[in-house]
Amino acid sequence: MTYCPTCGRRHRPRRVSVPTAQLDLLTWVPPARPHRGTAPGPRLVLLHGCLDAEGEPRAGIIDPGRRVPRAFANMAAAVAELRRMEAGR
């Protein structure tokens, strides 16, 4: 371990990321395939810009691929719709 000349703390040596077996210039390496996970599901959100009659934020659902969330009258209706959507997945 080395010591910092300014603060005196001990620092661990840096790890060097060098491959163990060097490849020559003519060896073709296939590129890594991108990770394709599952698509994100719908999310339940509170819409603070869309207030109900009592001044409370409405519940909404953001669908993947849509820009505008769908607003619901109350939280129970939003949760019921979310469960219905997730049951079909």
Side-chain angles (χ1 to χ4, degrees):
M1 294 196 161
T2 58
Y3 291 91
C4 176
T6 306
C7 63
R9 294 187 320 194
R10 293 188 304 179
H11 296 284
R12 295 184 182 194
R14 294 182 182 174
R15 293 182 182 162
V16 179
S17 61
V18 175
T20 56
Q22 294 288 335
L23 300 175
D24 59 350
L25 294 176
L26 300 177
T27 304
W28 182 76
V29 178
R33 294 185 357 192
H35 175 69
R36 293 187 181 183
T38 59
R43 295 184 315 192
L44 185 66
V45 294
L46 286 177
L47 304 172
H48 294 283
C50 182
L51 303 177
D52 60 1
E54 299 170 356
E56 297 292 323
R58 291 183 187 251
I61 293 180
I62 297 178
D63 294 327
R66 291 185 61 182
R67 292 185 179 195
V68 179
R70 291 186 294 158
F72 292 90
N74 54 20
M75 183 65 78
V79 171
E81 177 66 17
L82 184 66
R83 286 184 181 160
R84 188 193 65 76
M85 292 172 64
E86 287 179 345
R89 288 185 93 197

